[in-house]
Amino acid sequence: MTSLKRITYRVAAVLACIPFILLYVVEVNTSWKNDRQEKPKLSQTEREVGNGATWKAKSEIKNISVKNSADRHFSLQEKLNDSSSNLLGKVKSGKKHIIIYNNVPKCGSRSLAHSIKDTLKRNGDFRGIEVKGNKMKGSDLSKSFRGIHAPSYISGHMPFVVPRRENIVYINMVRDPIQRFISGYYFAINGDEGGVKAGSKLKSNRTIDEYIKDGGAVTSHIYFHFDRYDLYETANSSDSILQRSKANIDKYFILVGLTEELEATVVLLQKLLPDLLHGLHRMYKKTTAETRSSYSTLHKVPPSNQTIEILKEKLKDEFELYLFVKQRFEEIKRRYRVT
């Protein structure tokens, strides 16, 4: 009888606890659902930079550092502030990409283009197309790109065409506008150390000071490489061209480097396209750095201060774009710890 009473008491105690257990389960389930509702949907960028990191609300994130595919450290807050649709400064792993280098003239493009081509050949990923001259229309380029398969590399002085495929990445370089104009002027007259001539109609022995003093034209076609060709050809406002060019650089170019920092540009390209351009810096150091002097323009005469001031005024829009690119370039260097 005593044993029966004990069993009865124990069963009664268990039954008495069941309502409390059910209440606890309901509260936990409700809390879990609320957490799921409050947790925002992560963008592609946020998923990429998370890389195994614990999720936190944006207001709680300060300086959490995580590793990305380039094996470098980033500020997670910086990544969350990036627009997920912009390509500039972001790593593209794998080899299923089409690199388009629509090089701006007189910015050291041959040095970089040859380094990339040699690297791709050595890595066994070279399928190259070189566009000769800068007269090809954007509509023709757009059609010719349709049949190209990744991995491929296209280079040349050609217009910017909005890519219709996600695996297309643009690269380019810019240069101090005055130095670029001076180099272009003397290259048109004298060619370079490698025996290349531009074939210009300029038949003159005038210095650039004399050319400017005589009222020579000062034009910049840099937007040809960053603005949509159809809008560029019909635009009435230089400001609209400038703003569209900035937006296109952010959205479609993985990097726009600087001639003045060519080696840093090479290092960054290797980091941003780690699988396709593996060993690019080593290739640059081994070959291109030794032959770059052969691309130097012949017989350049430094301009006077007066000529420099005139060129600054006439090239002010190109200077604004150059300074925009330079600021972005410095930001990307800091992000990847490139000196």
Side-chain angles (χ1 to χ4, degrees):
M1 189 68 179
T2 304
S3 298
L4 182 61
K5 283 184 179 181
R6 288 177 181 175
I7 293 172
T8 303
Y9 290 148
R10 288 176 182 177
V11 170
V14 170
L15 292 174
C17 293
I18 288 176
F20 297 100
I21 294 171
L22 292 175
L23 180 62
Y24 174 77
V25 170
V26 169
E27 287 180 349
V28 170
N29 187 53
T30 302
S31 175
W32 178 78
K33 287 183 177 179
N34 289 338
D35 286 344
R36 283 186 60 117
Q37 291 173 352
E38 291 174 2
K39 180 178 176 178
K41 185 177 180 180
L42 294 178
S43 68
Q44 180 65 28
T45 302
E46 292 166 331
R47 288 197 297 271
E48 288 176 358
V49 300
N51 223 6
T54 303
W55 177 87
K56 287 181 178 287
K58 283 188 180 182
S59 60
E60 297 176 353
I61 296 174
K62 293 183 180 178
N63 284 313
I64 302 172
S65 187
V66 296
K67 281 192 174 184
N68 79 327
S69 58
D71 198 31
R72 303 302 299 176
H73 285 83
F74 287 74
S75 162
L76 186 54
Q77 182 63 63
E78 286 180 1
K79 273 293 184 182
L80 291 177
N81 289 337
D82 284 348
S83 169
S84 60
S85 63
N86 286 348
L87 179 62
L88 190 69
K90 294 184 179 176
V91 173
K92 284 290 184 181
S93 301
K95 295 188 175 184
K96 297 297 183 181
H97 304 295
I98 298 171
I99 304 172
I100 301 179
Y101 182 14
N102 62 329
N103 21 5
V104 177
K106 307 315 299 172
C107 290
S109 57
R110 281 180 289 173
S111 299
L112 181 58
H114 289 173
S115 290
I116 294 174
K117 183 171 69 174
D118 292 344
T119 300
L120 291 171
K121 281 183 176 179
R122 189 204 60 189
N123 294 343
D125 298 314
F126 181 70
R127 187 185 289 114
I129 300 172
E130 187 173 356
V131 178
K132 297 291 186 180
N134 57 3
K135 301 300 182 182
M136 182 177 281
K137 293 182 179 179
S139 56
D140 297 332
L141 281 172
S142 185
K143 292 176 183 177
S144 65
F145 290 168
R146 293 174 188 169
I148 296 174
H149 302 286
S152 292
Y153 171 55
I154 305 167
S155 67
H157 300 313
M158 52 190 166
F160 170 75
V161 177
V162 175
R164 298 182 182 274
R165 295 156 64 177
E166 293 184 357
N167 64 338
I168 290 178
V169 295
Y170 274 92
I171 63 173
N172 218 320
M173 283 200 302
V174 296
R175 183 180 185 180
D176 177 281
I178 291 178
Q179 295 304 317
R180 190 173 86 86
F181 183 83
I182 293 170
S183 181
Y185 174 78
Y186 285 110
F187 177 74
I189 298 173
N190 304 317
D192 64 18
E193 295 282 358
V196 176
K197 285 188 176 290
S200 171
K201 294 181 180 179
L202 276 176
K203 302 294 184 182
S204 172
N205 291 321
R206 290 180 296 177
T207 66
I208 196 164
D209 286 339
E210 294 168 335
Y211 174 78
I212 295 299
K213 185 178 180 180
D214 293 342
V218 178
T219 56
S220 172
H221 299 291
I222 194 170
Y223 299 120
F224 177 79
H225 302 274
F226 299 109
D227 189 21
R228 277 177 50 186
Y229 69 93
D230 54 336
L231 297 178
Y232 172 73
E233 291 176 351
T234 59
N236 296 318
S237 168
S238 60
D239 185 63
S240 64
I241 296 174
L242 176 61
Q243 298 310 318
R244 284 198 305 269
S245 296
K246 290 179 179 179
N248 289 334
I249 288 170
D250 277 340
K251 188 171 184 178
Y252 299 113
F253 287 77
I254 197 168
L255 184 71
V256 180
L258 301 177
T259 305
E260 298 86 350
E261 296 196 52
L262 180 55
E263 188 166 356
T265 299
V266 168
V267 172
L268 284 173
L269 281 173
Q270 180 174 304
K271 290 180 179 294
L272 296 173
L273 292 164
D275 298 313
L276 267 180
L277 298 183
H278 174 71
L280 176 63
H281 186 218
R282 184 168 61 250
M283 181 65 70
Y284 168 80
K285 296 283 285 185
K286 180 180 179 181
T287 59
T288 310
E290 299 172 358
T291 59
R292 191 183 176 195
S293 60
S294 66
Y295 304 142
S296 300
T297 299
L298 289 169
H299 311 311
K300 285 193 293 186
V301 180
S304 65
N305 291 335
Q306 183 180 3
T307 296
I308 290 175
E309 292 305 314
I310 294 172
L311 289 175
K312 279 183 180 179
E313 176 61 28
K314 291 184 178 292
L315 298 171
K316 60 183 179 181
D317 287 340
E318 183 173 338
F319 260 108
E320 183 171 343
L321 186 66
Y322 170 76
L323 293 175
F324 168 81
V325 169
K326 188 173 184 179
Q327 180 184 17
R328 289 286 196 269
F329 186 77
E330 292 300 327
E331 290 169 357
I332 296 170
K333 277 176 59 181
R334 287 194 296 272
R335 186 185 302 174
Y336 290 92
R337 299 180 181 178
V338 174
T339 57

